[in-house]
Amino acid sequence: MKQNGQAVDVVIMAAGKGTRMKSRLPKVLHRLAGRALLQHVVDTATGLNARRVVVITGHGAADVEAGVVHPGGGMLQFVRQEPQLGTGHAVQQAVPALPDDGIVVVLSGDVPLTQADTLRALIDACGGDRLALLTIAFDDPTGYGRIVRAANGDVQAIVEHKDASEAQRTIREIYSGIMAVPARLLKPWLAQLDNKNAQGEYYLTDVVKFAVAQGVPVVAHQINDPVQVAGVNSPVQLAELERAHQQRAARSLMEQGVRLADPARFDVRGELRCGQDVEIDIGCIFHGSVELGEGVKVGAHCVIANARIGAGAVIHPYTHIEGGFSEKDRIEVGSGALIGPYARLRPGAKLGEEVHIGNFVEIKAATLARGAKANHLAYIGDSKVGERVNYGAGSITANYDGANKHTTVIEADVHIGSNCVLIAPVTIGAGGTVGGGSTITKDTPPGALTVARAKQISLSNWKRPEKKK
Ligand code: UD1
Ligand code: CA
């Protein structure tokens, strides 16, 4: 993004400890909606088309640096802050990485839900020659830096709660921790910071005083959506923000026509796209990228990751669909398919139209063609299953010999009885039937009944052993 020809460079402060999380994991790596807090902020910066994204790390730096990805490529840069002497000191560390000609946007790695539009408006307010602060009014501003204004309304200073007078503490407008400022103005101000304050820290917020002294206009861009400036300091706050985010996600889906049985019992941890007339019952979780075609119904308590579910398919309750990110591992469920209850589809399950998968059936890396059915208690892995195959209860493909995985091919119109073991590599010829209880080790001819089990015998003069007296 450019403002009057000026590029935007983002600084994300993420060096703080996050003591109140009481966790070994650095705070900014805790997840909201399935993504690390810091990843949300990096993604927002990417959405601004930032020229550079500089992340200030300190506590748990190596983990934090390894814990985020930048889809945009090379502009993500980490700078370490050791020790952590305050927010001003944090941004000082970024100075060598910031070109003089840009607008610097300062964000925090623990404030995940700021919208790019809000930041664009803040950058507009900065305009390349002003200091723009993102502010909000709180009924309880305890703990925040207060926006101190002159009688004419001009912003004069940010005073931290611990340094504020009684009168200043009654000010409800607070600094969100987010600002936009031209680099050429910011750099000399940073060089003037001191730590003569209640916390003995170098406060970034002191730059406001320098701007005022120098006659640089300071503008407060005030918003009224607390979620966008909410920071995460504790597990309670993390859970509250997660709910706020999920409620928004639920609302936006319902506005597109999706029918959620209860928006309070619904979680998207990634991207969910829905066709018309989709119904989702309570307690479902969607991970990664999931597409539900027109008229899909998802029963209660399903977990669905990285999958495309075709139109009219029904996913019955307690079904686990766990696709992976790659095209190979992604799960496909054909239109009109019936899955579950209690089914498990693992990476690479590709099910055609009208396939039926019933309770306690596990499918992994297998293609099932149109109309194939496995209705109870079965395992199909590393397999190719033809159209209209009927796969009996308790039957499995033994695809793993302890070292390598092999493929099972079940051609069209085959019936596999109950409790069969198909030892791969093996092909069951089209239209054939495998008798219940068979262990199949060799290919079977098309159309034939194949039985591979001990013949049934009956001994009529047999006597049960009796207990010795
Ligand atoms: C800061 C603001 C305050 C504002 C509040 C909004 C200052 C001095 N105060 O206060 O006006 O109302 O945010 O939430 O800026 N960090 C570092 N290195 C450090 C210190 C902090 O990277 O040396 C990071 C933290 O990890 C965090 C962010 O900077 O992500 C903000 O620090 P925090 O201590 O939470 O700031 P506050 O004291 O809350
Ligand atoms: Ca602090």
Side-chain angles (χ1 to χ4, degrees):
M1 172 177 186
K2 293 206 169 169
Q3 170 66 43
N4 303 334
Q6 276 185 277
V8 169
D9 300 304
V10 172
V11 176
I12 304 175
M13 299 183 292
K17 185 145 189 227
T19 315
R20 282 188 282 155
M21 289 304 291
K22 300 188 179 164
S23 168
R24 279 184 219 281
L25 189 68
K27 175 165 80 173
V28 294
L29 294 185
H30 282 267
R31 288 171 179 269
L32 182 134
R35 259 186 304 164
L37 296 174
L38 178 57
Q39 189 69 56
H40 283 268
V41 184
V42 168
D43 291 347
T44 306
T46 308
L48 288 176
N49 290 326
R51 172 173 60 183
R52 295 196 182 182
V53 178
V54 183
V55 180
I56 313 296
T57 58
H59 279 284
D63 291 339
V64 172
E65 290 162 13
V68 289
V69 291
H70 191 262
M75 320 99 101
L76 183 64
Q77 194 176 334
F78 296 97
V79 175
R80 294 210 181 170
Q81 182 198 17
E82 303 281 2
Q84 292 82 39
L85 303 178
T87 52
H89 180 252
V91 179
Q92 278 172 356
Q93 313 310 306
V95 165
L98 296 172
D100 288 331
D101 64 349
I103 292 179
V104 178
V105 174
V106 179
L107 303 173
S108 288
D110 58 356
V111 179
L113 297 180
T114 319
Q115 286 165 14
D117 280 349
T118 301
L119 297 178
R120 282 188 203 104
L122 185 73
I123 293 163
D124 283 346
C126 162
D129 53 13
R130 293 179 289 268
L131 167 58
L133 309 171
L134 188 66
T135 72
I136 186 166
F138 283 153
D139 289 338
D140 179 8
T142 308
Y144 292 96
R146 307 297 205 283
I147 304 295
V148 178
R149 291 175 183 265
N152 66 0
D154 286 355
V155 176
Q156 286 186 309
I158 299 173
V159 179
E160 291 304 302
H161 182 90
K162 287 187 175 143
D163 300 284
S165 65
E166 279 306 313
Q168 287 167 336
R169 286 186 182 182
T170 65
I171 297 171
R172 290 174 54 240
E173 187 184 11
I174 63 99
Y175 171 54
S176 66
I178 295 173
M179 65 170 65
V181 54
R184 69 185 158 80
L185 295 175
L186 177 65
K187 288 186 181 185
W189 295 338
L190 290 173
Q192 292 174 56
L193 294 176
D194 64 45
N195 63 353
K196 296 189 191 103
N197 53 55
Q199 302 186 80
E201 288 181 7
Y202 293 86
Y203 290 165
L204 177 62
T205 44
D206 281 349
V207 301
V208 176
K209 288 189 302 205
F210 302 141
V212 170
Q214 205 180 311
V216 172
V218 181
V219 286
H221 176 67
Q222 189 172 332
I223 60 169
N224 52 27
D225 177 6
V227 169
Q228 289 198 49
V229 297
V232 171
N233 294 300
S234 66
V236 169
Q237 288 174 349
L238 180 59
E240 284 170 354
L241 209 53
E242 175 82 35
R243 260 313 97 207
H245 173 74
Q246 293 299 345
Q247 268 166 20
R248 285 175 187 203
R251 173 166 288 273
S252 117
L253 283 165
M254 290 187 295
E255 280 165 1
Q256 294 159 40
V258 176
R259 294 195 289 280
L260 300 178
D262 182 357
R265 287 177 289 173
F266 166 78
D267 287 83
V268 179
R269 299 174 190 163
E271 200 199 348
L272 174 63
R273 275 179 289 161
C274 295
Q276 203 168 20
D277 286 311
V278 164
E279 290 179 25
I280 301 172
D281 209 332
I282 61 161
C284 293
I285 303 176
F286 298 88
H287 293 272
S289 125
V290 175
E291 276 175 58
L292 304 179
E294 194 169 324
V296 165
K297 290 190 171 67
V298 182
H301 301 289
C302 291
V303 178
I304 303 183
N306 300 306
R308 248 190 306 262
I309 313 292
V314 179
I315 314 298
H316 289 292
Y318 298 99
T319 289
H320 191 184
I321 297 182
E322 40 176 335
F325 283 103
S326 67
E327 205 42 50
K328 174 173 149 282
D329 286 342
R330 195 173 166 76
I331 286 174
E332 308 278 349
V333 173
S335 51
L338 304 179
I339 313 294
Y342 298 102
R344 182 173 184 211
L345 305 184
R346 291 176 51 207
K350 313 277 185 190
L351 312 185
E353 290 174 27
E354 317 272 329
V355 163
H356 293 187
I357 301 297
N359 44 247
F360 307 107
V361 175
E362 175 182 346
I363 311 281
K364 188 217 77 175
T367 305
L368 274 68
R370 182 190 181 105
K373 295 186 173 77
N375 274 324
H376 342 256
L377 301 162
Y379 174 66
I380 301 177
D382 300 301
S383 302
K384 269 191 71 180
V385 177
E387 294 193 356
R388 297 172 299 277
V389 163
N390 198 312
Y391 194 86
S395 291
I396 67 159
T397 58
N399 54 326
Y400 186 52
D401 61 13
N404 297 299
K405 289 186 176 155
H406 303 282
T407 303
T408 302
V409 178
I410 304 173
E411 292 178 353
D413 298 300
V414 162
H415 282 207
I416 305 285
S418 295
N419 257 22
C420 294
V421 181
L422 310 179
I423 298 182
V426 73
T427 296
I428 311 299
T433 300
V434 175
S438 294
T439 295
I440 302 295
T441 56
K442 292 183 293 216
D443 292 355
T444 70
L449 167 66
T450 303
V451 182
R453 63 184 183 221
K455 253 205 163 77
Q456 180 166 327
I457 58 166
S458 301
L459 303 177
S460 47
N461 56 356
W462 182 79
K463 287 236 161 30
R464 280 191 203 142
E466 279 170 14
K467 206 161 191 161
K468 285 196 177 105
K469 284 176 188 141

